[in-house]
Amino acid sequence: GAGVSQSPRYKVAKRGQDVALRCDPISGHVSLFWYQQALGQGPEFLTYFQNEAQLDKSGLPSDRFFAERPEGSVSTLKIQRTQQEDSAVYLCASSFLTGGPTGELFFGEGSRLTVL
Amino acid sequence: AQTVTQSQPEMSVQEAETVTLSCTYDTSESDYYLFWYKQPPSRQMILVIRQEAYKQQNATENRFSVNFQKAAKSFSLKISDSQLGDAAMYFCAYRSAVYSGGGADGLTFGKGTHLIIQP
């Protein structure tokens, strides 16, 4: 597609359930980022992929969070044994390496996770 | 590490009036990009305007313009002739132009300013 696509848009999970959030970036974009956005806050970096390589996962808040991009295109963010503090919007963004000539990141619409 | 500060949690403006949103940032780099993104309730981050640090001329996009003060590390957004559709969260963001192969290649965001347009 023309833009970054994320699914599901909304996910309600019971505490302790596992969830998987999908991101389909713009075709040809080497860089892929995941951000977590708590209510009323700015997005916070979670992890970064360059093609299939996860080069930075320093923002993942715990070992319950896992991300992959096995073929260098679609990425999945998995959260195991969800907790209430995981409730947030998860944003995916993609770009050319170094952002290309404009430095711009392109965002999906986000997946809103609510943990009950 | 870079930081971005938006000191106005909320701003309100009358329709058709002008409003300025403030942003300051801290960096030791000389080459970088600055952005203003708009996030309506739909959650889609929409790029409003972009500024390359090496350019002295302030960027403009129709009703949106910036006041980029590199020495002061200030990057404010001016919205002229405010419209109801401008109501949203506005985020100032920084991106290094130097490749690092990590999360720093992405954006560092401020906490956002909630813009309310009064009809």
Side-chain angles (χ1 to χ4, degrees):
Chain A
V4 178
S5 177
Q6 290 189 247
S7 61
R9 288 213 65 200
Y10 302 92
K11 176 68 178 178
V12 178
K14 292 183 179 178
R15 191 162 60 94
Q17 280 186 329
D18 297 349
V19 300
L21 308 177
R22 175 190 168 101
C23 172
D24 196 346
I26 293 172
S27 179
H29 278 186
V30 169
S31 296
L32 186 146
F33 301 84
W34 282 99
Y35 292 87
Q36 181 189 58
Q37 186 178 19
L39 187 64
Q41 300 294 314
E44 298 276 348
F45 168 77
L46 290 176
T47 188
Y48 167 63
F49 288 88
Q50 188 179 119
N51 295 308
E52 70 279 2
Q54 188 176 21
L55 298 187
D56 190 340
K57 53 182 180 180
S58 63
L60 296 177
S62 79
D63 58 8
R64 296 185 295 103
F65 286 70
F66 171 76
E68 60 182 4
R69 193 186 185 196
E71 298 179 358
S73 177
V74 171
S75 178
T76 303
L77 176 67
K78 298 179 180 178
I79 309 172
Q80 298 176 324
R81 305 181 303 282
T82 52
Q83 303 294 315
Q84 285 189 321
E85 60 263 29
D86 300 334
S87 295
V89 173
Y90 292 85
L91 294 169
C92 176
S94 70
S95 77
F96 296 107
L97 191 64
T98 72
T102 67
E104 184 178 351
L105 257 63
F106 297 82
F107 285 84
E109 292 182 301
S111 293
R112 180 182 295 278
L113 172 65
T114 302
V115 182
L116 303 177
Chain B
Q2 292 79 26
T3 59
V4 177
T5 302
Q6 294 179 250
S7 59
Q8 305 153 316
E10 186 172 280
M11 292 284 284
S12 182
V13 64
Q14 291 289 125
E15 195 176 1
E17 296 294 307
T18 295
V19 63
T20 299
L21 307 184
S22 300
C23 173
T24 59
Y25 59 95
D26 188 24
T27 184
S28 59
E29 299 178 332
S30 60
D31 197 10
Y32 49 87
Y33 303 96
L34 295 166
F35 304 88
W36 279 97
Y37 279 89
K38 170 185 176 181
Q39 188 180 43
S42 68
R43 302 195 305 269
Q44 179 82 57
M45 281 283 190
I46 302 166
L47 179 64
V48 174
I49 199 165
R50 173 187 63 246
Q51 176 80 42
E52 290 93 336
Y54 68 87
K55 291 186 176 178
Q56 292 186 340
Q57 186 173 8
N58 289 324
T60 61
E61 287 287 342
N62 301 313
R63 297 182 296 107
F64 299 86
S65 62
V66 298
N67 183 4
F68 173 48
Q69 301 289 329
K70 190 172 184 179
K73 297 179 182 175
S74 171
F75 183 61
S76 61
L77 174 69
K78 185 171 83 171
I79 306 174
S80 303
D81 185 26
S82 298
Q83 300 176 0
L84 294 177
D86 296 334
M89 284 292 291
Y90 284 80
F91 292 96
C92 179
Y94 172 102
R95 188 177 192 188
S96 173
V98 178
Y99 173 70
S100 69
D105 288 343
L107 293 169
T108 300
F109 288 90
K111 290 188 180 299
T113 296
H114 181 209
L115 179 62
I116 299 168
I117 310 295
Q118 305 278 6

